[in-house]
Amino acid sequence: MAEKSDSSPGSTSATGASDQQSSEFLSSFIAEIAKSPVNLVLVGIIALLVYKIVKSKIKSEEPVQEVKRLPKLHRDFTIEELKKYDGTGPDKRILVALNGSVYDVTTGAAFYGPGAPYAVFAGRDASRGLATFTLESIKDEYDDLSDLDSEQMSSVKEWELQFNEKYDYVGKLLKPGEVPTNYSDEEDEGSQQETETKSDQQHTKTDDSEVEAKSKDD
């Protein structure tokens, strides 16, 4: 026995008429919008706003990449030693020298890391390049910057201020034959001076207490 079909000629024609009406309404709606430039501008603005909202939602759902914080480094470098820290090493550390000082710019890998816009400065002395605004002028040997004019040196010092505010100072860029500083000795001396200062303050407080106690007895 054949199954009874749910469809009928009447329902099919009704569906077709409904689709036709929807198509005609959409066509007339688009035609109405196209007649006026103002309508076209409004539609464009609405579409742009919708795009920005959707894009912001998608961006907020993306996981935020945490910047890897490496242990602080405190030592002096020669030009040759500096070259090893161009962001391609095992720890991905990036050092940049500027006006005789070395800075850890690993947190700025988006600018100085491999493939970044200023990757040419990584592991090198960027002073001349930043002073002259040219990437090709960087030297592979120690550069004393003695031939730069006053305007170029002012530019270097402005960059140096920015680096001091944004990145960690590591040490000096050594001149040929210059002996590196032993920073561990300096830290030990600083700790010793701090201990002596605290001791002096304690002695002073003790003396003041004794004087006060004696005055009360009198």
Side-chain angles (χ1 to χ4, degrees):
M1 185 177 179
E3 295 181 1
K4 186 177 178 181
S5 175
D6 293 335
S7 62
S8 63
S11 62
T12 304
S13 60
T15 304
S18 177
D19 293 341
Q20 185 177 359
Q21 288 178 355
S22 299
S23 179
E24 289 177 355
F25 173 77
L26 183 61
S27 299
S28 61
F29 180 72
I30 295 173
E32 189 67 27
I33 292 175
K35 285 180 182 179
S36 173
V38 176
N39 290 340
L40 290 174
V41 172
L42 290 175
V43 170
I45 293 173
I46 293 171
L48 181 61
L49 290 174
V50 171
Y51 169 76
K52 286 186 175 181
I53 292 171
V54 173
K55 186 178 179 181
S56 64
K57 287 184 177 180
I58 294 174
K59 189 175 182 180
S60 62
E61 292 175 358
E62 293 179 354
V64 179
Q65 294 183 353
E66 295 184 1
V67 178
K68 185 178 180 181
R69 301 292 300 186
L70 297 173
K72 286 191 176 183
L73 195 63
H74 199 25
R75 52 163 289 197
D76 298 337
F77 284 86
T78 64
I79 286 290
E80 287 300 320
E81 291 171 338
L82 193 64
K83 291 179 181 178
K84 301 175 185 177
Y85 296 89
D86 60 355
T88 61
D91 59 358
K92 308 297 182 185
R93 192 187 293 272
I94 306 171
L95 302 182
V96 173
L98 182 64
N99 199 25
S101 299
V102 178
Y103 298 90
D104 189 336
V105 302
T106 307
T107 55
F111 299 99
Y112 303 99
Y118 303 108
V120 68
F121 293 146
R124 307 174 76 182
D125 183 2
S127 305
R128 183 173 293 273
L130 294 174
T132 60
F133 300 103
T134 56
L135 304 180
E136 295 79 13
S137 61
I138 302 175
K139 297 182 178 181
D140 287 326
E141 65 273 359
Y142 184 84
D143 188 357
D144 61 8
L145 309 175
S146 58
D147 59 328
L148 296 183
D149 57 34
S150 58
E151 184 176 351
Q152 290 170 334
M153 282 306 302
S154 296
S155 179
V156 171
K157 290 178 181 178
E158 288 178 6
W159 277 101
E160 189 177 12
L161 288 174
Q162 294 184 34
F163 270 56
N164 278 321
E165 292 176 359
K166 193 171 183 180
Y167 302 116
D168 291 333
Y169 171 81
V170 176
K172 295 186 299 182
L173 181 64
L174 298 172
K175 301 175 182 178
E178 186 177 4
V179 179
T181 303
N182 190 340
Y183 290 103
S184 61
D185 290 346
E186 288 187 354
E187 292 171 357
D188 291 341
E189 288 178 5
S191 300
Q192 185 177 356
Q193 289 177 357
E194 185 178 355
T195 303
E196 290 175 355
T197 302
K198 289 182 179 179
S199 178
D200 291 341
Q201 290 175 348
Q202 290 176 352
H203 285 309
T204 302
K205 289 181 180 179
T206 303
D207 294 340
D208 291 340
S209 299
E210 291 177 353
V211 170
E212 185 178 353
K214 186 176 180 181
S215 62
K216 287 181 179 180
D217 292 339
D218 294 340

